Amino acid sequence: MSADLDQPLKIVVSSEGDTVVVSLTGELDPHTVPMLADELDDAIDGGATSVALDLSGLTFIDSSGLRVVIATHRRLEESGGRLVLRAPSDTVRRLLELTGLLGHIDIV
């Protein structure tokens, strides 16, 4: 079931030790990417060096969503940090594979 039109993306931020976990439910597209980008910027600006994106509830991602994932990965990597993608659906995993990101970003 997709997220409703008023809330196409739900973001929940939590911590697991020194890792900031950002859980996504719904769709990541040009309308919702700014919400995620703001959350990730806040986490990194707040000192996070380890970020996990929990994609288990993500039903859709397009190129704008991939761009924010890549930008976050690069930003963390440049500062000695790490981005991990958790539980991507088969569709999301396939998109990561097609774009060549599968070998560059850690997936668990």
Side-chain angles (χ1 to χ4, degrees):
M1 181 174 194
S2 64
D4 65 48
L5 295 177
D6 293 332
Q7 189 78 20
L9 181 67
K10 180 180 177 188
I11 301 172
V12 176
V13 180
S14 60
S15 294
E16 290 178 6
D18 63 350
T19 299
V20 173
V21 179
V22 180
S23 300
L24 307 177
T25 303
E27 300 181 357
L28 192 53
D29 60 28
H31 302 288
T32 58
V33 159
M35 294 168 38
L36 176 59
D38 287 347
E39 291 290 349
L40 292 169
D41 286 345
D42 287 349
I44 296 169
D45 291 345
T49 57
S50 177
V51 176
L53 279 179
D54 183 339
L55 307 177
S56 60
L58 198 64
T59 58
F60 177 82
I61 184 172
D62 69 359
S63 60
S64 64
L66 287 176
R67 276 193 298 276
V68 77
V69 169
I70 292 166
T72 301
H73 170 69
R74 285 185 179 152
R75 186 172 173 199
L76 285 166
E77 195 173 57
E78 287 170 1
S79 64
R82 178 175 180 220
L83 175 68
V84 173
L85 304 180
R86 289 185 180 172
S89 67
D90 289 341
T91 303
V92 173
R93 183 179 284 274
R94 179 75 176 133
L95 183 59
L96 294 168
E97 183 180 322
L98 289 171
T99 57
L101 294 176
L102 206 54
H104 298 283
I105 298 177
D106 293 329
I107 298 175
V108 294

